[in-house]
Amino acid sequence: MSFFILLTTVLITAVFLVVAAYAVAKAIGPRSYNAIKGEPFESGIPTRGSSWIPVNVGYYLFAILFLMFDVETVFLYPWAVVVKQYGVMALVSIGFFMLVLVFGLAYAWRKGALEWE
């Protein structure tokens, strides 16, 4: 019973803090608006023409692949710390993890996601 009371308390507190932060931001935040503030810009250079142009999907694929291997690196650090403690099981688990990533890389390479055009 105490677990559910704790869970309910945490959820109510979280909802209260989110609502309170939103209310405070609305109450004391600036309220001025003009058309120039609403325009998108890049490095302070005003835009010419429409900002809604199609972007090559290759940029998104490249970013997703970068994030995938970045996350791989983040997961390798804790594994390297505890590898002696867990022994063979740690090697098997990281081997499976690396195998899945290598298959993902091979698939992306074969599909041409790494080709920059």
Side-chain angles (χ1 to χ4, degrees):
M1 185 71 161
S2 66
F3 172 74
F4 294 111
I5 293 172
L6 178 65
L7 182 65
T8 304
T9 305
V10 168
L11 289 176
I12 289 172
T13 304
V15 169
F16 172 75
L17 289 175
V18 168
V19 169
Y22 183 74
V24 167
K26 276 296 200 183
I28 65 173
R31 292 184 176 84
S32 66
Y33 177 79
N34 61 33
I36 295 174
K37 283 186 180 181
E39 287 187 18
F41 66 96
E42 180 70 31
S43 302
I45 301 170
T47 58
R48 284 180 259 167
S50 175
S51 297
W52 294 97
I53 57 173
V55 178
N56 188 359
V57 73
Y59 295 119
Y60 299 112
L61 290 174
F62 199 78
I64 288 171
L65 287 171
F66 172 76
L67 286 175
M68 182 177 77
F69 290 105
D70 193 41
V71 168
E72 169 197 355
T73 305
V74 169
F75 281 134
L76 285 177
Y77 282 121
W79 170 80
V81 170
V82 297
V83 69
K84 279 187 177 180
Q85 183 179 0
Y86 290 107
V88 176
M89 188 59 191
L91 289 173
V92 170
S93 65
I94 202 63
F96 180 72
F97 179 69
M98 294 296 289
L99 186 68
V100 169
L101 286 172
V102 166
F103 281 146
L105 176 62
Y107 177 77
W109 198 334
R110 181 162 260 236
K111 286 291 191 176
L114 300 176
E115 298 294 325
W116 197 261
E117 295 176 7

